[in-house]
């Protein structure tokens, strides 16, 4: 059984690391990280490329969480492993090896995990999120509320499982932290809105943020080159 748990954990990370937003952007001849907020996730795809493509992104990312939570729950017959594999899929989505560990924010994959863990509460919260987005168009606040509500619900329902509580809190913390740039833009009045029915107006990623990212990449590249030269010497 241990070998299958290891295989499932590795698979959860590598499948979780597949980013549909990046794939869709490439198919459309665009780099999603240079559009809108720069985030390779559902809401940015909806705003920058189209609602149908955004829905496809959400379905795929959510399915990753659903699939591995189901594997943990039924194939490994363990509620603990339902959360462990779901959380690993979320971590893979946020820190994907395929794109230098720069991924999405993990909301859809997290929702997928919680849909399996709480098959009644999960869909209700998801429906509330959709209703919220119809009236209040600041997407990240809806994501905060949904993930927080489901984290609290699951910590209560699975209160006897330390693994479940730890996984829920780790995933919740990652989702909150990954939205820090949204909070900064919101406070500056620059946060993009999301309309599920109307036309979206997209403000491209701030030049300062893009320059900072490029600067970080350049610095890492320079450090690598210097290390290589020192090694040769």
């Amino acid at each position: 059984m241990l070998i299958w748990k290891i295989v499932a954990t590795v698979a959860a990370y590598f499948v979780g690391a597949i980013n549909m937003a990046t794939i869709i952007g490439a198919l459309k001849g665009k780099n999603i990280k240079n559009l809108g907020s720069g985030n390779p996730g559902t809401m940015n795809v909806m705003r920058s490329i189209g609602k149908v493509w955004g829905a496809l992104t959400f379905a795929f990312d959510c399915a990753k969480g659903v699939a591995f939570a189901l594997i943990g729950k039924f194939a490994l017959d363990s509620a603990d492993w339902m959360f462990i594999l779901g959380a690993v899929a979320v971590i893979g989505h946020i820190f994907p090896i395929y794109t230098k560990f720069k991924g999405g924010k993990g909301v859809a994959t997290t929702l997928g995990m919680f849909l399996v863990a709480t098959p009644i509460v999960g869909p209700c919260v998801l429906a509330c999120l959709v209703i919220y987005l119809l009236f209040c168009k600041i997407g990240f606040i809806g994501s905060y509320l949904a993930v927080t509500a489901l984290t609290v619900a699951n910590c209560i329902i699975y209160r006897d499982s330390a693994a479940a509580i730890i996984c829920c809190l780790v995933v919740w913390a990652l989702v909150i932290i990954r939205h820090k740039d949204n909070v900064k833009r919101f406070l500056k009045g620059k946060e993009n809105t999301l309309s599920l029915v109307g036309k979206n107006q997209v403000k491209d990623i701030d030049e300062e943020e893009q320059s900072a990212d490029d600067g970080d990449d350049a610095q890492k590249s320079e450090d690598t080159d210097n290390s290589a030269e020192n090694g040769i010497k």
Side-chain angles (χ1 to χ4, degrees):
M1 179 64 75
L2 178 60
I3 186 64
W4 290 114
K5 290 178 179 179
I6 295 173
V7 169
T9 302
V10 173
Y13 173 79
F14 281 98
V15 174
I18 299 172
N19 190 282
M20 182 55 68
T22 301
I23 293 172
I24 287 174
L27 291 174
K28 301 291 286 184
K30 300 178 180 180
N31 184 347
I32 190 64
K33 293 185 178 181
N34 293 333
L35 300 175
S37 66
N39 178 59
T42 296
M43 293 186 183
N44 196 34
V45 173
M46 280 191 171
R47 285 189 295 256
S48 303
I49 298 180
K51 295 184 179 65
V52 173
W53 294 107
L56 179 61
T57 301
F58 176 83
F60 180 83
D61 289 344
C62 184
K64 294 186 294 188
V66 169
F68 285 100
L70 286 173
I71 290 172
K73 184 175 183 179
F74 294 109
L76 299 180
D77 194 24
S78 168
D80 287 354
W81 279 92
M82 170 180 66
F83 284 102
I84 291 170
L85 293 184
V88 171
V90 174
I91 291 171
H93 179 83
I94 295 174
F95 304 108
I97 192 172
Y98 310 122
T99 53
K100 299 180 180 179
F101 303 102
K102 295 181 179 180
K105 297 179 179 176
V107 174
T109 308
T110 298
L111 291 176
M113 177 184 74
F114 284 143
L115 286 174
V116 175
T118 49
I120 296 177
V121 178
C124 291
V125 172
L126 182 57
C128 289
L129 175 59
V130 173
I131 293 171
Y132 164 87
L133 291 173
L134 288 172
F135 296 97
C136 303
K137 303 183 188 302
I138 303 298
F140 83 92
I141 295 178
S143 297
Y144 268 8
L145 293 174
V147 172
T148 299
L150 286 170
T151 297
V152 172
N154 279 271
C155 284
I156 293 173
I157 294 170
Y158 296 92
R159 58 187 174 276
D160 294 328
S161 169
I165 293 174
I166 291 171
C167 287
C168 288
L169 293 178
V170 167
V171 166
W172 174 81
L174 287 173
V175 170
I176 295 298
I177 292 170
R178 285 291 289 124
H179 283 83
K180 65 181 185 302
D181 289 336
N182 297 80
V183 175
K184 291 178 182 177
R185 287 193 296 269
F186 178 73
L187 294 176
K188 294 178 181 178
K190 296 181 179 180
E191 175 66 0
N192 284 311
T193 58
L194 175 67
S195 175
L196 296 182
V197 292
K199 184 177 180 180
N200 288 294
Q201 294 183 346
V202 184
K203 304 171 187 175
D204 285 339
I205 185 171
D206 289 347
E207 291 182 4
E208 292 182 2
E209 293 180 14
Q210 186 64 47
S211 297
D213 290 340
D214 293 342
D216 289 342
D217 291 340
Q219 183 63 46
K220 290 178 182 178
S221 177
E222 183 179 345
D223 291 343
T224 301
D225 292 341
N226 289 337
S227 298
E229 289 177 2
N230 291 332
I232 293 172
K233 291 178 181 179

